[in-house]
Amino acid sequence: MSTKGLYLFVEGADDERLISHICSTHLQESYTWIKTFQYARKKSDKVCGFLRAIEAMGADYIFFSDLDLNPSISIKKEKIRKVFSNVEEEKLQIVV
């Protein structure tokens, strides 16, 4: 087992319930702890600061976002990265 933690960035409470149930079940063997973080109502500079802190502590994260009415996953990813500039591409997951 890893001694590393994992943060799951989710938009809101409904996403938190779904993602934490699915991901915790599949990832609990790979991480010492898994925590969720609701970002939708947070200022972008606070979220970006938290992402930097996670990197500095050596933890991992997965950043989830809904596709919503966007025409493609790549367009949604671009929009997310404009708001949260330091989200790593490979850690950004769009939920359809």
Side-chain angles (χ1 to χ4, degrees):
M1 179 187 273
S2 172
T3 58
K4 205 176 232 191
L6 174 68
Y7 284 95
L8 303 173
F9 281 71
V10 295
E11 291 178 4
D14 291 339
D15 298 316
E16 180 174 10
R17 282 189 291 279
L18 177 66
I19 295 296
S20 64
H21 174 72
I22 293 170
C23 289
S24 294
T25 302
H26 295 290
L27 298 172
Q28 63 189 356
E29 293 180 13
S30 300
Y31 293 95
T32 304
W33 51 264
I34 298 172
K35 297 181 182 183
T36 57
F37 178 81
Q38 293 181 26
Y39 66 86
R41 294 188 176 167
K42 306 275 193 278
K43 292 184 178 185
S44 63
D45 61 330
K46 297 292 182 189
V47 175
C48 289
F50 190 41
L51 289 168
R52 284 190 294 277
I54 290 168
E55 183 178 318
M57 74 169 72
D60 285 335
Y61 71 89
I62 304 171
F63 198 102
F64 293 96
S65 182
D66 296 327
L67 182 62
D68 296 324
L69 299 176
N70 291 279
S72 71
I73 290 172
S74 59
I75 289 173
K76 179 63 177 196
K77 283 185 173 187
E78 285 177 29
K79 288 181 178 181
I80 290 293
R81 296 202 68 227
K82 283 182 183 176
V83 176
F84 308 108
S85 58
N86 59 336
V87 171
E88 296 177 47
E89 176 77 26
E90 63 275 2
K91 295 182 180 183
L92 178 55
Q93 298 297 314
I94 306 302
V95 179
V96 179

